Amino acid sequence: MHASTVRSLLVRGMLAGLIAGLLAFAVAYVVGEPPVDGAIAVEEAQAAQEAHAAPEAHAGHGGTAAAEEEEEAVSRPVQSTFGLATGVLVYGVALGGIAALAFSFALGRIGRFSPRATAALTAAAAFTTVYLVPFLKYPATPPAVGNPDTIGKRTTLFFLMILLSVLLGLAAVIAGRRLAPRLGNWNATLVAAAGFVVVTGVAFVLLPANDDAVKAGFPAALLWEFRLASLAVQAVLWAVFGVVFGVLAQKVLAGRTSTADAPAPVGAPIPG
């Protein structure tokens, strides 16, 4: 694939990521922000109870003035609108560009799929390895519901799980391609997928759990609502990206093919 074609696909991947990010932001705002607000309300209620139960802890620190919470650098309304939109859109554009590069590498190497089908498979693989598998091991939690002293450790484990999932996914694709001549495409795919599941399961067992991710007593229904919302945002992001980028990539590659196959104009020199 020519460098100019890869650049065109990269730009369109970022555009598709932007469009997918807009729809993902809408989902995040509608179904994701209510459980976040609920988690913040739970946190504030617990903090108020702790302060009321131990008033002497605040007595030597300036009384009522010291008990006042620090003012947020960014207000909650800004966080839930402009801040959320910025984060989701930047995330969508960045991942769209990376997925476009992965698509450029995968096209023609994973089977005789059309650009649209390859885009859909790339998006599905990215959703599975980058989000779904790590989510199953370390599911998302609302802000400020876990132990703040272990947030660094929990973040490291989550990104380690992403890295392992992506590497295992690539290994499964390579294994499937190598087994295809002997087993056939369908059987090779099943064997590679089974191997991915088994090795991922071993990683789930060996990696430590996030025992401090959720405080005791946090409402289970609210936690479940937040996790479903998080899953929905990612599913919408990757589904929309797969559809939009598939259409854009099909047009780019069809245009390049038709240009390359077009007959030379009369009188033009024939390359030797």
Side-chain angles (χ1 to χ4, degrees):
M1 188 177 292
H2 295 293
S4 60
T5 304
V6 175
R7 284 196 298 269
S8 297
L9 291 173
L10 175 62
V11 171
R12 283 157 179 79
M14 296 173 70
L15 176 60
L18 178 63
I19 296 172
L22 287 172
L23 293 180
F25 162 69
V27 175
Y29 183 77
V30 172
V31 303
E33 285 303 304
V36 172
D37 290 335
I40 293 174
V42 170
E43 179 195 12
E44 292 175 346
Q46 290 177 346
Q49 291 178 355
E50 292 173 0
H52 180 73
E56 65 279 0
H58 304 278
H61 299 280
T64 306
E68 296 178 355
E69 297 180 357
E70 295 182 3
E71 185 178 354
E72 293 179 338
V74 181
S75 65
R76 176 62 187 146
V78 174
Q79 292 176 7
S80 62
T81 52
F82 180 77
L84 177 64
T86 301
V88 174
L89 292 179
V90 170
Y91 178 81
V93 171
L95 289 188
I98 296 172
L101 295 177
F103 166 88
S104 301
F105 176 80
L107 185 64
R109 290 185 173 91
I110 59 174
R112 294 187 174 183
F113 297 106
S114 67
R116 288 185 181 181
T118 303
L121 290 173
T122 301
F127 169 72
T128 301
T129 57
V130 176
Y131 184 78
L132 182 59
V133 171
F135 174 86
L136 294 176
K137 175 61 178 177
Y138 301 119
T141 56
V145 304
N147 184 353
D149 296 333
T150 62
I151 189 171
K153 174 187 173 183
R154 290 185 278 120
T155 302
T156 300
L157 289 174
F158 180 74
F159 281 104
L160 176 60
M161 192 65 241
I162 293 177
L163 178 61
L164 285 175
S165 177
V166 171
L167 292 177
L168 290 175
L170 291 174
V173 172
I174 294 172
R177 292 294 296 164
R178 292 185 176 180
L179 291 172
R182 285 185 295 170
L183 303 179
N185 289 333
W186 178 250
N187 290 333
T189 300
L190 291 178
V191 171
F196 174 79
V197 171
V198 170
V199 179
T200 301
V202 173
F204 277 20
V205 173
L206 296 179
L207 287 174
N210 277 343
D211 295 329
D212 297 331
V214 181
K215 293 180 181 178
F218 188 81
L222 185 59
L223 180 62
W224 181 246
E225 181 182 355
F226 176 84
R227 288 176 173 173
L228 286 180
S230 176
L231 187 61
V233 170
Q234 291 289 330
V236 168
L237 177 71
W238 286 110
V240 174
F241 171 81
V243 173
V244 174
F245 180 68
V247 173
L248 297 177
Q250 186 83 28
K251 291 181 178 179
V252 169
L253 295 172
R256 299 299 170 94
T257 302
S258 61
T259 301
D261 294 340
V266 177
I270 299 176

